[in-house]
Amino acid sequence: MGEPVFRKPIFGAVWRYPESNPQRLQRVGRRGILRLAVLVPLTLSLVSLLAISVVYAATGISLGEAALIGFSLASFAILVLRGWMLGTFVNGNGFKVVTLLRTASGLWNSRYQVESQSTTWKIASIPIGIRSQRVVFTPPVGKPIPTHIFIGSADAIFTRERFDVLFLLLRRWSVPE
């Protein structure tokens, strides 16, 4: 008797579930409630402001005013969309750490080490005096690359156990097979 044949869903051509691609970067952890509490209202505000500005622009405003509004909304849109992309991503080849203003990446075969270091919390690059552990990627030569994984991150108020799980997950990814 052969293996059973399973029917494809009605909309199988629309929703394809491809095989997992080992080259695809995977997010480490998930977006936490604090980050979502900021991003969802900002996204809704962006959509509202875009709709209002389109209606306002249709009333016949000057070119300078339209350019100023367009520049402001485009900058705001870039910041909000970049906020959705923040995080640490890994695959079998390497990693990528996306922050609001820059992206750092590296390959595992460049001998990056995954370490836990003590760090000071910052708000808008201003230290607030609270210290905790943070996962960093340390190259053989150069400056360590901090990740978003630390106790007190906006992605989650990490417990020590959750922090240890993500730290060990990154360590596992960094070891060559």
Side-chain angles (χ1 to χ4, degrees), residues 30-103:
R30 58 184 178 273
R31 289 181 195 91
I33 192 74
L34 295 176
R35 186 178 306 276
L36 291 175
V38 171
L39 286 175
V40 169
L42 284 177
T43 304
L44 294 175
S45 299
L46 175 64
V47 171
S48 300
L49 288 173
L50 286 172
I52 290 168
S53 66
V54 166
V55 171
Y56 182 64
T59 63
I61 60 176
S62 69
L63 184 61
E65 193 176 8
L68 180 65
I69 291 171
F71 177 76
S72 301
L73 285 176
S75 300
F76 182 53
I78 289 170
L79 288 175
V80 170
L81 294 175
R82 184 77 176 182
W84 281 102
M85 295 174 11
L86 297 178
T88 302
F89 303 88
V90 295
N91 68 11
N93 295 329
F95 64 89
K96 179 169 74 169
V97 179
V98 179
T99 62
L100 195 58
L101 299 177
R102 67 181 179 87
T103 299

Side-chain angles (χ1 to χ4, degrees), residues 7 28 131 157-158 171:
R7 291 180 44 205
V28 178
R131 297 188 68 79
I157 302 174
F158 287 123
R171 271 243 165 115

